[in-house]
Amino acid sequence: MDKVKVLEKYLPPDAAPLIGRWIDYFKCEFKISRNRGSKFGDYRAPHSGKGHRISVNYDLNPYAFLVTTVHEFAHLHTWNEHKQKAKPHGTEWKNNFKKMMQPFFEKDVFPPDVKHAIVSYLNNPAASSCSDLTLYRSLRKYDAPREAIHTVEKLPIKAIFKLKDGRVFSKEEKLRKRYKCIEVSTKRVYLFSPVAEVELVNN
């Protein structure tokens, strides 16, 4: 099947032809991956006879899929230019990400709020990767609605929630950037990202 047709299922349609050309130009193995809770995408540099490899989670909304794809291609481009000498999300990577995002800005692929969040993220050297919460939140707004899934920051204090592994927690106060939560069975304290996805437990 034509790769652009496949990519159109996951990306904004106007973006698919350029991503298809990048896959060919960089001779990259591009894989649409299962959901990985810990990351949206992944780049592997050439190693042991294998070339560049990029994988992106299949269940991202089209804008998140595109941002993640460009993010990983910027890693590839940076590796081609600097090998291991550049930091993973250092200046060289940021410059490449900004450059590679430009054609999609010109095509007006993103809604204004997502574009604004990307631009502000790229101008903020302190923010690393997709841990930028403003960008993450603006992308999440375009996810298909899912019942029962909430982010920690949206829950009231003392709300009881559970993780995919079944562990149950009580939400406590905010400590700087994270929320203090207590595991109900062990009374241990854990710190949660505001955007961690959890399931609300009805008391």
Side-chain angles (χ1 to χ4, degrees), residues 186-200:
T186 64
K187 305 301 180 212
R188 284 187 183 155
V189 173
Y190 292 82
L191 297 181
F192 278 77
S193 160
V195 293
E197 292 186 350
V198 298
E199 186 178 336
L200 185 61

Side-chain angles (χ1 to χ4, degrees), residues 53-66:
R53 284 166 293 157
I54 286 174
S55 61
V56 180
N57 292 6
Y58 81 98
D59 58 351
L60 299 178
N61 73 55
Y63 305 120
F65 195 99
L66 178 55

Side-chain angles (χ1 to χ4, degrees), residues 26-29 36 39-47 50-56 68-81 83 88-89 93:
F26 289 112
K27 297 183 174 59
C28 170
E29 181 189 312
R36 292 159 294 184
K39 58 187 173 186
F40 297 151
D42 185 52
Y43 165 67
R44 301 285 171 93
H47 178 67
K50 290 185 175 176
H52 298 289
R53 284 166 293 157
I54 286 174
S55 61
V56 180
T68 304
T69 298
V70 178
H71 178 118
E72 303 307 341
F73 268 106
H75 280 306
L76 183 160
H77 193 27
T78 305
W79 190 91
N80 275 348
E81 291 178 330
K83 303 295 185 282
H89 296 110
W93 174 82

Side-chain angles (χ1 to χ4, degrees), residues 81 105 107 109 117 151 187:
E81 291 178 330
F105 288 163
K107 286 178 187 289
V109 162
T151 54
K187 305 301 180 212

